[in-house]
Amino acid sequence: MTSPSPEVSTVDPYADAERRRAARALLRTPLLHLDRGADDLALVRRHQRELIAMFAEGLGYRLVVEPGLARLMKVGLGPDGTRPLLRRNGSPFTPRRYAFLALTLAALTRTRRQVMVDEVVAGVRSAATDAGVDVDLDSIHDRRALHSALTALVDLGILTERDGDLEHWVERHTESLLDVHRDRLAVLVAAPLASCQTPEDVLAVQEVPSAAGGARIAVRRALTESPVVSTEDLTEDQSGWWRRNREREREWFSRWLGLDLEIRAEGALALDPDEELSDVTFPGAGSARHAALLLLAELTEAARTGAEPSDLQTGVSQDGSRTWRPVAASTARAASDRLLRSWRRGLRKAHREDPDLLFAEAMQILVSLGLVREGPGVVHVHAAAARYAPRAELVTASGPKGERSLFEEDEDGG
Amino acid sequence: MSDGTLSPQERLTLGALRYAVNDEAGSYLAIMRLFTDGISGFLSDQSADEVTERLHEHGIDLDRDTVDQRLSYLVEHGNLARSPRETEARSVREYLSNRARYQLTARGELVQRQVEELLTRSEGAREVSSEMLPGILSGLTGLVAVCERDLDGADPAQLATRIATVFAQFEVLVTSTRQFYAYLAQVLTRFDLGRDEFVSFKSALIDYLQRFVDEISQHMPQVGDQLLRLEPTIPALCERAAESGGLKGLDGSSARRSTGLSAEDWSSLHTWFIGSADRRADADNVRRLATDALRALLTNLRRLAAGADRHQSRYGDLVRLASWFDDADDEVSHALWANAFGLFPARHVSFAAETDGDPVPSTKSWWDAPAAEVPIGLRVRGERQAGGRASQRVDYSTAKQARLRERREAEQRLRRAATELAAHAGPVTDLRISDEARGALLDLYAAALARVGRPLGAADQARAELTTSGVAVALLVDREPGSQLRLTSPSGVLVLHDLRCKLVATGEVRDPRDPHTPPRASVLDQADERSPDPLAMRSAGGEDR
């Protein structure tokens, strides 16, 4: 215990690869347990000593490893509304549904290990009173919202349906017996809620003093979690650290997380050669993503030509507009309509018929990736947008022999 | 009630509860309080004007018409009644004018009392009225003395008073204990007590143990003794006490006696203090429950003491979070979700830029750096092809179907070949067969020799068998210098020298629907795993046609 343990793993490429896989699994699924990611959990447990140290020192994340679970406490994302909890049908949760989720969790902290769903409802009623949230659990709307919360918790592995029919609880008041996984429930909340007095406190990013690795943690977190990091968004402290260490960081990211850094003047991004460490695959398949990529190329072109020539030559400007370049919203919309005209036959039916929908979905993807920012009457394009040069072509539906391709998707797929 | 449905009469009675749960429950409760609480509660009846005025004094401003409506609703549901009046009204307006006065009904009074009780003390801890125990004991002792001295000489009215007192005290004891019971049950089921709650539960329980359990153990044996001594004389006692005379109802029946004046009432007292054949004394039960609750508290204490991250009660945090969510807009609620729970996956873009092998300096702008070429195949007719490497997870089902089909076709070809070979059963020297049968025969030949494992000796006989779903055929090979086998097929002629071959049809044709035949898919799956050894052609599977 007292002597420093030898770093055996550094010379064992197999262990390195295992540890990398475990770290990536945690970044993708921050709560691993026996019902979800049991294999990855075994890897995490095997390498927990190095992983706990790496996440704490490198990213400022606490990693909790228990016999049945591993939980990476990801905090400090800041106000980012592009990562909602999704319902089973893919639509994002509403505030009401989130509220029910929190109320259900509150109720579950007070229940036994097994509950009937009506006991949960009683608990939610009383928690709602404590929260001052006006609920009417006899109404179909609130029952649906509660049902979404329950199914989300089932999907997260906090609840397991032991018996019964939770599926039809809303309409038919069916009974359901639920197992509560206390150990998972206990590690579900990542933020220090007890010390938060307002919602803004939850969204505020905890400042870590630079001496304690604050700059390193902030920059690495941004590179790990978000698609694009801009130098201009860094504090003076952070950008100083970044200038000094960026080349060395390539090695850290590649060794621990298997990510390649693309470092440019305006910032950096982390590329995953395996294209699996992301909830949004971009560029990716599907009509909307194809359109988003094509639109991005158009916007980049417009941003280039719209900029002052002097800026383009020097590549520098005083107000930092080198990173973000404006394009009029009307120009963006026109570009979207133009690409619809050019590639109409290759787009999904709904997109062919509704140019507004096409533009909205494409923009939503680009915004969620941080490549584009929407302002009043203007669209700001990030420099990283220029890293893509799509080469589109129309492909006929059937191959030369008329057989269907293995890679064909359904109309709504992707 | 027996079949679980309410009689209309019961439904009507329960309707008296309705004012307490409807949308305007606040004003209804305020009105009912005027009839039951404080000074105004002593007034036997009140007019609508008085009600309006008093409500105003309590800070509730309702106009006269609304008050009329509210009072009328309460009359409708039997909580209030209109006082009897002499004058005859000629219009509704006049009927409702300030001559109309309202008074409380018995039902209204009872309901309001229960409602107030429910509102004030449904959740909190209730002290067990253990001070009732000495009173009960002395009451019982007095009764025992009376019974043993001279029951017939005792004053019935005084006797009834004593009995009623004992039972009144007993009722208080039981009620308070029952409430404590319910409260303890709450502790037993809770595992996530906050620090404050823990402290209050703890002090309540310890006080309870100190006072109630002490007193119970002190008084219980004596109460039990007195009850046992009193038991034989209870019928006589009740009879004597009942001589004080009871009230007769309007229809001539006796009004309800107060508890204790009939012999059956005493059995509940026995059950509680002494227990009965099939039931422990309730006092014992409470004591045991208290012990369980203490154990639950210890569990909580252990949790509070363990781990810095879990000492906080998360209930309060989550409840607060719920209210923040409920007040937030979409964007903020998504951000709150992401930050509070941190369950979001990492997000990255993909595709490395084409740098032609030259590293791009970190100081180069994205605007000028080489771009990543991303091929997009836009599928015409609404179907899409994945763009380059950025494909989605591939769906293998079509490929799997194709493999299954190939496997099935191979099976059929093999069966045809086996059938053809079986048709030539017997010693073979000159065969005219199809290519497929030739292939099968050569495989058999190879398998036979391979099985022998060494050069075929004079006495050796090599044998291999080909089994398909419908046909089984075996090839026997032995050494016979001078003989030859001539195989003719569309792809040419093959001659094997110094060998004697014999084909034997070994298997009966089995019914493909034979229940012992394993299902096709599993057979094929097994076949998939086999090595490409000639014997792999052996197949025991059933065919689907």
Side-chain angles (χ1 to χ4, degrees):
Chain A
M1 289 293 275
T2 48
S3 64
S5 46
E7 284 274 320
V8 184
S9 56
T10 50
V11 294
D12 181 353
Y14 188 68
D16 267 6
E18 268 192 356
R19 210 177 38 222
R20 204 153 41 228
R21 201 182 129 200
R24 289 163 64 96
L26 283 167
L27 285 177
R28 203 170 44 230
T29 314
L31 175 58
L32 292 170
H33 48 73
L34 294 173
D35 302 331
R36 193 169 67 158
D39 296 348
D40 290 331
L41 175 62
L43 286 185
V44 172
R45 281 172 58 78
R46 190 175 309 155
H47 298 283
Q48 57 172 298
R49 206 171 45 89
E50 295 101 323
L51 288 173
I52 289 175
M54 182 276 280
F55 278 118
E57 187 254 359
L59 291 165
Y61 289 154
R62 199 156 54 87
L63 173 62
V64 179
V65 183
E66 287 177 17
L69 62 86
R71 171 72 161 113
L72 184 63
M73 300 284 186
K74 291 201 195 187
V75 289
L77 182 70
D80 179 350
T82 67
R83 300 177 196 233
L85 176 63
L86 298 181
R87 289 168 61 198
R88 280 188 181 166
N89 68 8
S91 61
F93 261 50
T94 57
R96 189 72 170 170
R97 287 192 155 85
Y98 283 123
F100 271 106
L101 186 83
L103 291 175
T104 310
L105 286 171
L108 288 178
T109 60
R110 299 192 150 183
T111 60
R112 277 158 300 194
R113 219 162 274 279
Q114 278 203 322
V115 276
M116 295 291 289
V117 74
D118 53 10
E119 292 175 86
V120 179
V121 176
V124 168
R125 274 186 212 275
S126 106
T129 317
D130 290 345
V133 175
D134 193 14
V135 307
D136 176 11
L137 281 167
D138 301 320
S139 82
I140 190 83
H141 289 294
D142 279 358
R143 285 178 78 81
R144 284 209 182 108
L146 177 55
H147 186 253
S148 300
L150 287 171
T151 50
L153 291 175
V154 168
D155 293 344
L156 283 170
I158 306 301
L159 293 174
T160 312
E161 191 177 17
R162 176 66 72 87
D163 188 32
D165 182 8
L166 187 59
E167 183 76 38
H168 297 103
W169 172 74
V170 174
E171 300 85 12
R172 292 183 224 150
H173 292 247
T174 46
E175 291 288 358
S176 177
L177 177 63
L178 303 166
D179 286 351
V180 185
H181 296 276
R182 287 261 180 74
D183 49 345
R184 301 172 194 169
L185 183 62
V187 294
L188 198 61
V189 175
L193 284 187
S195 58
C196 296
Q197 300 306 315
T198 62
E200 288 74 34
D201 291 347
V202 182
L203 301 185
V205 180
Q206 301 282 320
E207 285 289 336
V208 180
S210 193
R216 178 184 64 227
I217 285 173
V219 177
R220 275 193 192 159
R221 259 188 205 169
L223 279 167
T224 309
E225 304 293 359
S226 45
V228 181
V229 176
S230 314
T231 323
E232 68 174 40
D233 293 344
L234 302 179
T235 64
E236 196 179 323
D237 200 19
Q238 290 162 356
S239 64
W241 179 86
W242 175 239
R243 260 196 317 278
R244 289 191 301 278
N245 292 282
R246 57 189 175 192
E247 299 302 334
R248 246 179 295 163
E249 285 301 287
R250 288 183 199 279
E251 201 269 330
W252 189 88
F253 272 90
S254 140
R255 175 176 162 214
W256 287 100
L257 305 177
L259 295 171
D260 295 337
L261 289 195
E262 178 172 294
I263 306 175
R264 296 288 181 267
E266 295 89 352
L269 50 84
L271 290 170
D272 179 15
D274 297 338
E275 288 168 28
E276 55 173 25
L277 191 53
S278 179
D279 59 337
V280 179
T281 323
F282 186 85
S287 188
R289 279 178 215 175
H290 284 161
L293 187 55
L294 291 168
L295 178 62
L296 189 64
E298 299 271 356
L299 292 178
T300 311
E301 202 49 45
R304 265 188 220 284
T305 51
E308 294 90 325
S310 62
D311 257 12
L312 270 180
Q313 277 151 19
T314 58
V316 177
S317 86
Q318 303 85 333
D319 57 355
S321 68
R322 189 174 63 165
T323 308
W324 291 98
R325 288 191 181 170
V327 171
S330 56
T331 313
R333 180 52 203 263
S336 170
D337 291 344
R338 196 160 56 242
L339 85 87
L340 175 60
R341 277 197 300 279
S342 314
W343 303 106
R344 177 179 194 84
R345 291 169 65 217
L347 294 172
R348 179 146 62 99
K349 188 152 171 280
H351 289 154
R352 285 202 296 266
E353 288 166 1
D354 188 350
D356 293 340
L357 181 75
L358 178 74
F359 183 63
E361 286 193 4
M363 283 298 285
Q364 195 247 320
I365 291 173
L366 295 177
V367 168
S368 77
L369 290 165
L371 293 172
V372 155
R373 204 148 70 177
E374 280 182 289
V378 66
V379 172
H380 296 277
V381 184
H382 195 276
R387 68 182 304 278
Y388 285 116
R391 299 281 174 266
E393 58 172 342
L394 283 174
V395 183
T396 47
S398 46
K401 292 178 186 167
E403 79 270 33
R404 282 172 66 84
S405 160
L406 290 179
F407 303 101
E408 273 174 33
E409 297 157 34
D410 295 336
E411 176 82 352
D412 294 318
Chain B
M1 270 301 262
S2 58
D3 59 350
T5 54
L6 288 172
S7 73
Q9 183 58 42
E10 286 164 330
R11 200 176 290 282
L12 182 72
T13 309
L14 289 178
L17 289 164
R18 204 161 280 176
Y19 76 93
V21 290
N22 66 15
D23 289 346
E24 290 90 25
S27 56
Y28 283 113
L29 279 174
I31 292 173
M32 287 303 285
R33 277 178 190 148
L34 292 183
F35 285 90
T36 52
D37 284 358
I39 302 294
S40 54
F42 291 121
L43 303 169
S44 59
D45 58 3
Q46 302 179 53
S47 72
D49 279 335
E50 285 164 349
V51 169
T52 313
E53 198 177 306
R54 296 222 159 81
L55 281 176
H56 182 71
E57 285 168 17
H58 286 86
I60 302 165
D61 282 321
L62 289 179
D63 61 47
R64 172 64 203 278
D65 287 346
T66 316
V67 171
D68 269 338
Q69 278 172 20
R70 298 278 190 272
L71 290 168
S72 162
Y73 180 92
L74 288 168
V75 169
E76 216 175 282
H77 289 92
N79 302 84
L80 295 180
R82 291 205 168 84
S83 306
R85 302 163 315 135
E86 292 88 39
T87 52
E88 200 175 306
R90 277 164 298 184
S91 69
V92 174
R93 184 98 201 133
E94 190 183 326
Y95 189 90
L96 291 176
S97 69
N98 55 4
R99 273 169 302 173
R101 302 184 74 81
Y102 297 85
Q103 63 185 30
L104 208 54
T105 63
R107 198 198 294 168
E109 202 269 332
L110 189 64
V111 166
Q112 177 65 17
R113 199 150 47 88
Q114 303 287 347
V115 166
E116 294 289 355
E117 181 147 344
L118 195 60
L119 283 176
T120 49
R121 38 176 135 125
S122 57
E123 299 297 328
R126 175 83 197 270
E127 184 169 280
V128 175
S129 306
S130 51
E131 63 274 13
M132 291 299 161
L133 277 167
I136 293 173
L137 180 61
S138 71
L140 287 174
T141 315
L143 285 171
V144 167
V146 170
C147 287
E148 287 176 351
R149 208 170 49 224
D150 176 20
L151 186 58
D152 294 335
D155 175 16
Q158 207 187 356
L159 216 49
T161 311
R162 286 185 170 203
I163 294 175
T165 308
V166 168
F167 271 84
Q169 289 167 334
F170 176 60
E171 195 178 320
V172 172
L173 180 68
V174 167
T175 313
S176 63
T177 311
R178 198 167 48 218
Q179 286 175 357
F180 199 78
Y181 231 95
Y183 180 67
L184 285 185
Q186 205 186 336
V187 186
L188 287 175
T189 55
R190 289 275 303 277
F191 87 110
D192 183 50
L193 293 174
R195 247 176 224 289
D196 297 348
E197 285 172 311
F198 178 80
V199 168
S200 70
F201 272 106
K202 188 196 69 180
S203 52
L205 265 181
I206 287 175
D207 282 0
Y208 165 81
L209 277 185
Q210 212 164 9
R211 303 239 315 266
F212 184 69
V213 175
D214 277 4
E215 295 208 21
I216 280 212
S217 47
Q218 188 186 338
H219 290 108
M220 276 270 290
Q222 302 175 51
V223 172
D225 283 353
Q226 299 299 344
L227 278 173
L228 290 175
R229 280 171 72 182
L230 205 54
E231 197 173 8
T233 51
I234 280 172
L237 180 70
C238 290
E239 206 172 306
R240 182 68 190 152
E243 281 170 23
S244 60
L247 194 63
K248 297 283 183 197
L250 289 178
D251 54 355
S253 62
S254 323
R256 260 181 66 195
R257 307 302 312 262
S258 59
T259 45
L261 292 190
S262 72
E264 302 92 73
D265 292 340
W266 287 80
S267 66
S268 61
L269 210 59
H270 269 259
T271 316
W272 211 89
F273 283 106
I274 304 171
S276 60
D278 54 348
R279 207 185 144 159
R280 299 160 63 115
D282 282 357
D284 273 354
N285 280 334
V286 177
R287 197 158 42 182
R288 203 187 36 187
L289 197 69
T291 319
D292 289 350
L294 266 188
R295 199 169 299 136
L297 275 183
L298 281 177
T299 314
N300 267 294
L301 182 62
R302 199 174 305 135
R303 186 183 55 78
L304 288 177
D309 49 330
R310 297 196 198 155
H311 65 87
Q312 278 281 347
S313 163
R314 279 159 292 123
Y315 178 83
D317 297 342
L318 288 163
V319 159
R320 216 158 21 146
L321 184 64
S323 68
W324 293 339
F325 269 131
D326 201 45
D327 295 338
D329 60 19
D330 277 358
E331 198 78 355
V332 173
S333 69
H334 295 328
L336 269 178
W337 155 255
N339 278 280
F341 292 92
L343 287 168
F344 51 88
R347 180 174 292 172
H348 297 288
V349 293
S350 46
F351 266 78
E354 313 287 343
T355 58
D356 299 327
D358 298 331
V360 179
S362 298
T363 46
K364 202 169 178 72
S365 166
W366 258 311
W367 296 109
D368 310 324
E373 284 206 6
V374 186
I376 311 179
L378 291 147
R379 233 159 219 289
V380 178
R381 291 207 311 246
E383 287 154 326
R384 302 176 300 280
Q385 188 183 40
R389 290 183 299 165
S391 66
Q392 282 216 323
R393 187 168 289 279
V394 177
D395 177 9
Y396 287 107
S397 64
T398 320
K400 188 175 175 188
Q401 289 306 320
R403 293 290 92 74
L404 289 176
R405 199 166 53 242
E406 280 171 21
R407 179 61 63 174
R408 234 173 5 250
E409 285 165 7
E411 278 273 321
Q412 281 170 12
R413 278 200 305 276
L414 188 63
R415 190 152 69 114
R416 277 199 300 275
T419 314
E420 192 177 338
L421 290 179
H424 295 284
V428 285
T429 49
D430 194 357
L431 269 182
R432 258 172 204 289
I433 49 176
S434 68
D435 277 345
E436 275 169 15
R438 174 177 183 256
L441 184 66
L442 289 178
D443 281 342
L444 270 176
Y445 174 65
L449 293 186
R451 193 173 287 184
V452 172
R454 58 178 186 272
L456 203 61
D460 290 339
Q461 186 180 56
R463 178 193 164 95
E465 195 175 353
L466 167 65
T467 310
T468 68
S469 53
V471 191
V473 60
L475 176 71
L476 303 176
V477 186
D478 44 27
R479 217 171 164 78
E480 177 76 37
S483 76
Q484 65 173 34
L485 166 62
R486 192 181 173 80
L487 269 179
T488 314
S489 76
S491 29
V493 181
L494 175 74
V495 183
L496 303 172
H497 291 284
D498 296 342
L499 285 176
R500 189 174 62 191
C501 296
K502 185 178 176 187
L503 279 169
V504 186
T506 53
E508 310 90 308
V509 175
R510 278 180 295 163
D511 185 349
R513 288 182 298 271
D514 186 346
H516 300 299
T517 311
R520 179 169 48 88
S522 70
V523 170
L524 292 170
D525 286 346
Q526 286 164 16
D528 273 342
E529 290 163 14
R530 289 193 191 148
S531 62
D533 160 306
L535 291 174
M537 293 167 71
R538 288 175 57 107
S539 165
E543 276 292 321
D544 60 345
R545 63 180 88 170

